[in-house]
């Protein structure tokens, strides 16, 4: 109990410090204002990582990931997918907002593309950029690969991996890492098998790591699903993948 309290206190303090080191970057999608976040090493001509947050928009997990990636020598940019005035306030509104972009995947890919442009404007080397995403953002990471966006690799972290089966599978040149919790009720065996089929038909360089005893949001310290051991492993796997493709 004491350990859990200390961990929570540490995480809250860390997030506050991390947030202070992130700078807001405003950009546009037509008339819609978007507000992303960039790490303090922007402008330094380094490999870049775009972070796609979970279904409620930019959160502490995305901010913490950005700060940790900066320590590893990457410029990190946290994308704003929903835009100013459209940030979900509860699970119901988050489900509706994320559902819209999952269905209208071309709009999702456009918002990701706009964030990628901001990452480049802030110093990321254009041919050394990757995308990582959590939950809804994990879906976006896969959409980055499906849409042939100009990135060398993507990491889907407990993302929704299913795709409308009326969409045709196409070539995939982006390297893919899927970090899949074994007990995620949102991922069906059909989703899993269809993703493998899609990646194989696309002749992708892919890998899936499945984490035992892990439910959907196993990497988020604020979630009841949090699995500290598996979360650390997943993050180490992310860093190893990024080092391979970006450095």
């Amino acid at each position: 109990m004491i350990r859990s309290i200390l961990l929570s206190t540490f995480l809250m303090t860390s997030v506050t410090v991390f947030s202070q080191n992130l700078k807001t970057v405003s950009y546009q999608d037509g008339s819609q204002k978007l507000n992303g976040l960039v790490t303090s090493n922007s402008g330094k001509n380094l490999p870049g990582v775009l972070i796609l947050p979970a279904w409620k928009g930019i959160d502490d997990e995305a901010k913490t990931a950005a700060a940790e990636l900066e320590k590893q020598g990457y410029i990190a940019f946290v994308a704003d997918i929903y835009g100013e005035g459209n940030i979900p306030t509860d699970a119901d509104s988050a489900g509706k907002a994320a559902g819209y972009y999952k269905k209208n995947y071309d709009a999702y890919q456009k918002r990701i593309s706009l964030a990628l442009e901001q990452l480049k404007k802030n110093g990321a080397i254009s041919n050394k950029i990757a995308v990582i995403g959590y939950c809804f953002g994990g879906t976006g990471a896969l959409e980055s690969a499906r849409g042939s966006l100009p990135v060398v690799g993507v990491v889907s972290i407990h993302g929704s991996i299913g795709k409308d089966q009326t969409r045709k599978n196409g070539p995939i040149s982006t390297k893919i890492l899927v970090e899949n919790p074994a007990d995620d009720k949102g991922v069906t065996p059909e989703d899993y098998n269809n993703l493998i089929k899609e990646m194989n038909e696309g002749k992708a360089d892919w890998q899936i790591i499945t984490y035992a005893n892990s439910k959907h949001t196993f990497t988020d310290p604020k979630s009841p699903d949090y699995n500290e051991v598996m979360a650390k492993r997943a993050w180490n796997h992310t860093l190893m993948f990024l080092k391979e493709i970006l450095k």
Side-chain angles (χ1 to χ4, degrees), residues 59-72:
D59 58 11
D60 289 342
E61 186 169 27
K63 293 175 184 177
T64 301
E68 290 299 321
L69 288 169
E70 180 177 1
K71 292 178 184 178
Q72 298 295 324

Side-chain angles (χ1 to χ4, degrees), residues 23 38-46 70 75 122-123:
K23 179 180 71 175
V38 70
T39 46
S40 61
N41 59 350
S42 62
K44 291 189 177 180
N45 196 40
L46 296 167
E70 180 177 1
I75 298 172
N122 279 276

